[in-house]
Amino acid sequence: MTQTNTVTVTDNRSGTSYELPILDGSTGPSVVDIRKFYADTGMFTYDPGYTSTGSCESAITYIDGDQGILLHRGYPIQDLATNCSFLEVAYLLLEGELPTPEQYGTFEHAITHHTMVHEQIHKFLEGFRRDAHPMAVMCGIVGGLAGFYHDSTDISNPHHRMIASHRLIAKMPTIAAWAYKYSMGQPLIYPRNCLTYAEDLLHMLFAVPCEEYKVNPVLAKAMDRILILHADHEQNASTSTVRLTGSSGANPFACIAAGIASLWGPAHGGANEAVLNMLSEIGSKDNVSACVKRAKDKDDSFRLMGFGHRVYKNYDPRAKIMAQTCHEVLEELGIKDPLLDVALELERIALEDDYFVEKKLYPNVDFYSGIIFRAMNIPVSMFTGMFAVARTTGWVAQWNEMVTDPAQKIGRPRQLYTGPTQRAFVPFDKR
Ligand code: CMC
């Protein structure tokens, strides 16, 4: 980062002016450095929801929300999604460069050989009700892993960080698949080293011990692409949660469990599940207009799930690729899904509607992913778990960047206090 200029803020109560440095990155909006603002002025800045706050310096992912651009380490998401495997993108996010064939081989070997989880995890799993939401299971188990891998807990040691990172990326498909198998009452399927990351995930989800399961290459390719499209997305709620949790020096498995918890919400990763539920509720193209009307009604809390984004004020580039993948998958599998017709009609009507046009609400990544998951026979309750598998790569990359940032401090926001000022204590018998 470089400092090129300053901003002057004047306190109109006293007429005092303060000069604040402007810091420039390589592209995108500059930031006003307010780190000394409180010390100089005695005031905090106020930004609930962080709509104007840059919380860190990062070189991993760049989004231009107005243009609908998403770059990982400088590479457009379209190029990565159409030319790379998920593990290549994972390597890029973690290491900063696309891997050479040799580097890829070493990385793939490391990930493949960390896919098993400790056998004791079975007991953990059995503690859950069979109808527990898979995100609850994943959050619990990933947090629990902090108690299993004691050889990689020194976060100041690069080797420890690398092992923890590889373990997290490698074990997440196993944990997600086991959460599903457990909910079905089916035997758990162990990872297989001869399969790719996406194939292994599908195999663990759908194989049963009594017969051979061959992974459909169309589905494996689509899953790989979905994983790439969800791999990282800059300082979103779950990533910021991982960073904030990690800023205290917390165990990496605990940090990722915190990320899973944040991702689960319907405004974030839980939206893919909510989209499918919404499309099922709409049921037919004829009901789409009524649904759009509801979404526009200020007195109704209903929102069009899979629409809108804090950063994108244009078509989410991931949604474009997802829509195309969705059509390809349905066509190649010969599936005619009436929910796709509902989704297309919803998109058509919403994109022509003044409310959505004026507010720049476009379909986001979650709008089409659910229809692809449905074609793969992945149950709706597992959708967000699939997102968590993919996003673990981004969380881990961002956590590593945070831990090694010399400017890093424990995250400790302040507040605008509006509660009672100091008052006299009233003893119990006098209240
Ligand atoms: N349907 C109807 N109205 C909407 C929607 C929507 N999906 N999204 C935003 N609006 C309206 C909102 O009511 C508000 O109107 P007004 O200015 O009149 O009060 C305006 O648009 C701005 O919305 P906001 O809530 O202030 O925007 P935000 O940046 O805080 O929220 C969002 C972003 C993604 C949470 C929101 O658009 C939303 O709830 N979308 C539906 C859930 C969803 O699809 N989430 C997935 C996001 S992408 C994947 C991910 O990040 O995990």
Side-chain angles (χ1 to χ4, degrees):
M1 78 171 96
T2 47
Q3 191 203 323
T4 46
N5 217 320
T6 57
V7 155
T8 304
V9 174
T10 304
D11 182 343
N12 292 323
R13 297 169 304 183
S14 60
T16 318
S17 288
Y18 306 93
E19 207 162 87
L20 303 166
I22 297 177
L23 305 179
D24 299 321
S26 49
T27 184
S30 303
V31 300
V32 179
D33 182 351
I34 56 161
R35 278 175 289 186
K36 295 206 181 107
F37 193 71
Y38 172 61
D40 290 348
T41 68
M43 287 185 282
F44 301 133
T45 57
Y46 180 63
D47 185 18
Y50 309 121
T51 49
S52 297
T53 296
S55 60
C56 61
E57 184 184 340
S58 181
I60 301 175
T61 291
Y62 173 73
I63 304 173
D64 182 329
D66 294 324
Q67 303 290 325
I69 291 172
L70 169 61
L71 310 176
H72 291 319
R73 302 283 191 184
Y75 295 106
I77 189 67
Q78 290 85 345
D79 291 346
L80 297 174
T82 45
N83 297 304
C84 291
S85 72
F86 173 67
L87 283 189
E88 268 180 275
V89 175
Y91 183 96
L92 173 71
L93 290 169
L94 266 179
E95 306 291 341
E97 295 296 335
L98 285 166
T100 61
E102 198 191 342
Q103 288 165 333
Y104 184 74
T106 310
F107 182 64
E108 191 185 33
H109 184 271
I111 298 300
T112 307
H113 287 81
H114 277 300
T115 45
M116 288 210 295
V117 291
H118 196 289
E119 274 299 292
Q120 206 66 13
I121 290 295
H122 285 248
K123 298 257 185 327
F124 231 85
L125 204 54
E126 282 161 17
F128 284 96
R129 287 168 51 134
R130 293 272 175 188
D131 62 355
H133 195 286
M135 287 297 275
V137 176
M138 289 177 74
C139 192
I141 289 188
V142 173
L145 291 184
F148 284 83
Y149 299 104
H150 296 147
D151 59 344
S152 55
T153 52
D154 178 5
I155 63 163
S156 63
N157 180 328
H159 186 63
H160 282 210
R161 282 200 307 274
M162 188 187 70
I163 298 177
S165 304
H166 290 174
R167 280 190 174 132
L168 276 157
I169 295 170
K171 294 182 198 310
M172 202 58 93
T174 314
I175 295 166
W178 284 14
Y180 171 58
K181 286 296 194 192
Y182 181 73
S183 73
M184 298 287 286
Q186 286 187 7
L188 307 180
I189 301 295
Y190 283 77
R192 302 192 66 175
N193 291 359
C194 57
L195 300 176
T196 67
Y197 194 86
E199 285 169 351
D200 204 16
L201 172 58
L202 289 168
H203 186 264
M204 286 188 283
L205 283 167
F206 297 120
V208 282
C210 45
E211 61 185 38
E212 206 197 333
Y213 173 81
K214 270 188 94 60
V215 180
N216 181 329
V218 175
L219 297 189
K221 189 171 163 236
M223 177 58 92
D224 200 68
R225 186 170 285 179
I226 292 176
L227 294 173
I228 293 173
L229 294 177
H230 286 94
D232 191 50
H233 213 227
E234 204 240 51
Q235 308 312 320
N236 54 81
S238 57
T239 302
S240 298
T241 303
V242 170
R243 279 184 177 259
L244 189 58
T245 310
S247 76
S248 70
N251 178 288
F253 294 99
C255 295
I256 302 306
I260 295 173
S262 168
L263 185 76
W264 191 2
H268 192 8
N272 53 15
E273 182 174 340
V275 169
L276 233 277
N277 290 334
M278 176 188 76
L279 294 176
S280 303
E281 256 171 52
I282 297 172
S284 114
K285 279 164 72 172
D286 303 338
N287 304 328
V288 165
S289 299
C291 165
V292 171
K293 199 167 161 217
R294 255 193 88 189
K296 296 191 294 183
D297 183 353
K298 279 273 149 238
D299 300 323
D300 191 332
S301 62
F302 173 77
R303 283 185 169 201
L304 273 196
M305 300 315 286
F307 266 78
H309 197 274
R310 169 63 60 79
V311 183
Y312 293 119
K313 301 303 165 200
N314 200 325
Y315 217 106
D316 179 340
R318 301 168 302 169
K320 269 191 192 156
I321 308 168
M322 201 66 90
Q324 189 193 327
T325 308
C326 179
H327 288 294
E328 281 166 16
V329 168
L330 294 192
E331 200 179 307
E332 286 190 60
L333 295 179
I335 294 177
K336 184 95 189 70
D337 188 342
L339 290 196
L340 178 62
D341 297 333
V342 176
L344 287 171
E345 181 66 358
L346 188 58
E347 182 181 357
R348 189 188 66 77
I349 295 190
L351 291 182
E352 284 173 0
D353 191 287
D354 285 349
Y355 174 94
F356 288 87
V357 172
E358 275 160 26
K359 293 186 191 298
K360 300 187 174 161
L361 300 170
Y362 292 86
N364 58 49
V365 70
D366 291 318
F367 191 65
Y368 282 105
S369 60
I371 297 173
I372 313 180
F373 286 144
R374 205 165 113 99
M376 291 176 171
N377 274 329
I378 293 174
V380 177
S381 64
M382 277 301 296
F383 288 5
T384 315
M386 296 295 102
F387 194 157
V389 169
R391 185 55 59 85
T392 297
T393 301
W395 290 332
V396 159
Q398 302 265 352
W399 173 79
N400 273 287
E401 187 182 62
M402 186 267 308
V403 170
T404 49
D405 182 350
Q408 173 54 38
K409 282 171 175 280
I410 185 168
R412 178 55 172 94
R414 300 303 301 268
Q415 62 177 7
L416 176 66
Y417 179 69
T418 54
T421 53
Q422 187 167 331
R423 44 186 174 161
F425 178 73
V426 183
F428 193 66
D429 59 345
K430 302 258 162 36
R431 283 174 230 156

